[in-house]
Every structure is written in C-alpha cells, then in structure tokens.
Amino acid sequence: MISSLEILIPKNLNEALSLLVERKNNCRIIAGGTDVVPGLQQGSNRFANSELLIDINRIPEIKSITQTREKISIGGAETFSDMLQNQIVKEELPLLWKACSTIGSVQIRNRATIAGNFVNNAPCADTVPALLVYNATIEVESLSSKKEISIGEFLTGPYKTKLNKDEIVTRINIPIPSKEFRGDFYKLGRRRAVAISRITLAVLTKTQNHMIDEIRIASGAVTPIGIRFSDLEKLAKGKYADDKFLKLLSQKLGEQILNVTGLRWSSEYKLPVVQQMFYQLLKEIEHG
Ligand SMILES: Cc1cc2nc3c(=O)[nH]c(=O)nc-3n(C[C@H](O)[C@H](O)[C@H](O)COP(=O)(O)OP(=O)(O)OC[C@H]3O[C@@H](n4cnc5c(N)ncnc54)[C@H](O)[C@@H]3O)c2cc1C
C-alpha cells in the first residue's frame, strides 16, 4: 500500500527545477508512473522516502519531437505511443521505433515515457540498445546548469546514472544516421507481449559491396546494463561480411557477453541464443 503522498504539477520547466531544489529531501519526479507507482506499491527501496511526487507531464518544453538537418530531438516526457505515431521517429530511427513498439501493452505505452525508461537504468530497459547504437546524447538541466552527455556515459551501472537529485532529463538528441545505415532491433522475452526482456540486441551497419565500413552493436537485458561492443566493432571494420565472418562475429559476441557477466546459471541457455539471434540479425541485414 502507498502511504499518503503529496503531488505537485508544475506548469513549466523552471517551476519543476525550483521545486527539486526547494523540496530536495524527499521528492521524486514522476512522468508516466509505470515504474514509480508499482515501485511505491511494492515498497521498493529505490523509492523509499518519497513524500512528494513532482509530476512533469504538463511541461511543454519536454514534450515535443523536433528535427533539424543534423539531429532529431525527443522530449524526455514523450510517451511511447506519441513516438510510435511520429513519422520522424518511424522513418529516421526505425530501431528505436521498433523498440518502443515492443514495450508493455497499449495502456503502458500511452503513459510510459522515454526518459523514465532509462533513468532507472534497469538492465531490461528496451530503448537503451537502440539509443546506444544511434549515439544518442542526453540533455540534463538543473536550475543552475545544463549539460549534454552521451547515453553510454549517462548510464553508469545497474539502476545507477549520472543524474543528480536536482536534475531533469529534458531531451534526448540523436544525430540523423546516414541513409546507408541499415539495422535491426531484436527482443526476446518469456512471451510475446507485456514481458520483461531476457535478451535485447540492436545492430546498425554500413557496408559497401559487403565490406563492413562501420558497425555498431549493443545489447541489453543479457548484460547488467545496456552496452556497446567497441572491440567487436573495431574487429569488424573493413572485413568482408560473408557467412564465415558473421558466424565468427556472433561467436565473439557470446564470448564478450560471458566476459562481462561471468558464468551464470542461465548462461548455458542464453549464450547460444544470443549468438544465434545476432547471427540471424546480421544475415538478414546483410543479405535480406
Ligand atoms: C506492466 C508493465 C510492463 C512493462 N513493460 C516494459 C517493457 O516491455 N519494456 C521496458 O523497457 N519497460 C517496461 N516497463 C517499465 C516501464 O513502463 C518503462 O521503464 C517506462 O518507460 C517508464 O517510464 P515512466 O514515464 O512511466 O517512468 P516513471 O515511473 O514516471 O519514472 C521512472 C523513473 O524515472 C524518473 N524520471 C522519469 N522521467 C524523468 C525525467 N524526465 N528526468 C529525470 N527523471 C525522470 C523517475 O523519477 C523514476 O525514478 C513495464 C512496466 C509495467 C508496469
């Protein structure tokens, strides 16, 4: 049961940031509430001492999707349903669009927001692998500062980020990938819908006549937090993407994941699955 809570609804960003400073001890931001409310109900330690919720849903500055020549900028409080209906996200960022489409149910997607997804930094946050391969940067504001850091830097450990208590994630900025990039996002859960991810992978590649010019590889859920595999990306650069090499790359991904996680009870099942999933993804991207 949730004990009594105060909820305040600021009308603009400045008001929200001021509240975070004035009421810093026991306050918490709430956006869609799809993590916060179940967490409070279950008495999760992550939400202990929350006495005031600051609802950021009515703040116009963090609720839009814009495009310039170089980048797409998504407000932190954009819901997954808003993103799925947005043509810019659908056409320019298909991996992120696909990741959003796999989240929860319609009811969850109508409430849940993009910043809410990665601020907790749960290993199974589905947008993270796509944001990693798109080289997303996170804009964070407090009353006295504004900074922009890469998603990889922002996410520091399981359930840990660089966000300070007086800060709000205002925007997620994504450089528009060149048209030569092709890629895909894959999610494996225990069932098809409303399932926590067991394994997620995102891959973006640019090849010329089957020579790999650039490849970006990220995982989620199977690793303690979403990560990029820069060693593999370097290894693949300039290689001919034939079946033999794609199999080798998939085998090496499994080895790298094992290095990160150590041997677990689930490794025997997950590693062959991750290698096969990755191989299939690469094959479909490369050879259709
Ligand atoms: C039934 C169910 C199914 C789900 N399925 C999935 C799934 O398939 N995949 C998946 O990835 N997740 C899933 N989730 C988890 C959840 O829906 C997502 O993580 C969602 O994106 C959280 O967003 P929210 O706006 O609801 O966050 P909230 O619950 O409002 O907030 C989450 C955290 O982020 C902080 N926060 C939110 N916005 C900001 C901001 N702009 N700046 C700073 N801090 C902020 C809050 O203080 C809180 O700590 C599911 C949840 C439920 C209940």
Side-chain angles (χ1 to χ4, degrees), residues 10-22 54 59-62 141-144 166 168 170:
K11 286 186 287 306
N12 57 49
L13 187 58
N14 208 46
E15 208 183 304
L17 293 172
S18 304
L19 278 170
L20 286 176
V21 173
E22 284 160 26
I54 300 176
I59 299 178
E61 296 99 310
I62 58 171
E141 282 191 46
S142 73
L143 210 49
S144 56
D166 61 344
I168 290 180
T170 49

Side-chain angles (χ1 to χ4, degrees), residues 145-165:
S145 71
K146 186 171 173 170
K147 64 187 179 205
E148 187 168 355
I149 55 174
S150 71
I151 178 93
E153 259 181 282
F154 182 81
L155 306 173
T156 52
Y159 303 99
K160 292 197 181 103
T161 69
K162 283 238 166 96
L163 193 76
N164 295 316
K165 282 206 83 172

Side-chain angles (χ1 to χ4, degrees), residues 19-287:
L19 278 170
L20 286 176
V21 173
E22 284 160 26
R23 307 284 299 269
K24 64 181 170 212
N25 285 337
N26 302 323
C27 73
R28 169 167 294 275
I29 291 164
I30 184 166
T34 62
D35 273 331
V36 170
V37 173
L40 287 170
Q41 276 170 336
Q42 289 156 12
S44 158
N45 279 342
R46 288 189 291 132
F47 302 111
N49 304 324
S50 304
E51 287 170 6
L52 164 67
L53 296 180
I54 300 176
D55 179 341
I56 58 169
N57 275 299
R58 314 257 171 96
I59 299 178
E61 296 99 310
I62 58 171
K63 279 193 86 68
S64 63
I65 299 176
T66 59
Q67 181 177 17
T68 60
R69 267 162 64 103
E70 296 86 31
K71 69 174 184 190
I72 292 158
S73 178
I74 302 170
E78 278 293 304
T79 65
F80 295 122
S81 292
D82 289 340
M83 290 170 63
L84 287 169
Q85 279 158 27
N86 185 280
Q87 272 313 105
I88 303 172
V89 178
K90 191 170 185 180
E91 279 164 26
E92 305 288 354
L93 307 170
L95 277 64
L96 182 60
W97 190 91
K98 191 169 176 186
C100 295
S101 76
T102 68
I103 290 176
S105 57
V106 175
Q107 292 87 338
I108 293 292
R109 294 194 288 273
N110 284 345
R111 297 249 3 130
T113 63
I114 181 161
N117 193 238
F118 61 77
V119 162
N120 278 344
N121 203 10
C124 56
D126 283 329
T127 59
V128 169
L131 292 174
L132 284 165
V133 296
Y134 281 132
N135 290 335
T137 56
I138 310 302
E139 242 179 72
V140 173
E141 282 191 46
S142 73
L143 210 49
S144 56
S145 71
K146 186 171 173 170
K147 64 187 179 205
E148 187 168 355
I149 55 174
S150 71
I151 178 93
E153 259 181 282
F154 182 81
L155 306 173
T156 52
Y159 303 99
K160 292 197 181 103
T161 69
K162 283 238 166 96
L163 193 76
N164 295 316
K165 282 206 83 172
D166 61 344
E167 292 174 328
I168 290 180
V169 172
T170 49
R171 304 205 72 82
I172 296 93
N173 295 322
I174 303 180
I176 297 174
S178 79
K179 295 285 174 216
E180 296 144 299
F181 274 106
R182 284 178 299 148
D184 209 349
F185 167 82
Y186 191 94
K187 164 170 168 171
L188 182 78
R190 283 218 168 115
R191 51 182 191 212
R192 275 182 186 273
V194 201
I196 298 212
S197 298
R198 316 302 290 184
I199 302 169
T200 48
L201 289 173
V203 185
L204 210 53
T205 74
K206 189 161 75 164
T207 54
Q208 273 190 352
N209 300 324
H210 300 295
M211 297 289 277
I212 300 171
D213 195 23
E214 187 176 343
I215 186 164
R216 302 179 195 165
I217 306 161
S219 72
V222 70
T223 39
I225 59 169
I227 50 167
R228 280 273 291 270
F229 293 87
S230 49
D231 289 353
L232 289 189
E233 294 174 358
K234 277 186 210 133
L235 172 88
K237 196 173 163 60
K239 298 287 190 324
Y240 190 68
D242 58 7
D243 202 54
K244 192 171 162 210
F245 183 70
L246 300 187
K247 279 192 176 134
L248 177 79
L249 205 58
S250 309
Q251 183 202 323
K252 292 216 170 284
L253 180 73
E255 288 167 12
Q256 294 241 335
I257 288 175
L258 195 59
N259 279 346
V260 175
T261 60
L263 199 61
R264 293 177 177 181
W265 67 268
S266 57
S267 304
E268 202 182 336
Y269 151 71
K270 278 190 182 165
L271 287 185
V273 175
V274 96
Q275 286 168 327
Q276 187 60 26
M277 272 170 59
F278 185 55
Y279 169 67
Q280 293 291 350
L281 268 185
L282 291 173
K283 220 166 69 156
E284 273 157 39
I285 295 166
E286 197 44 41
H287 303 288

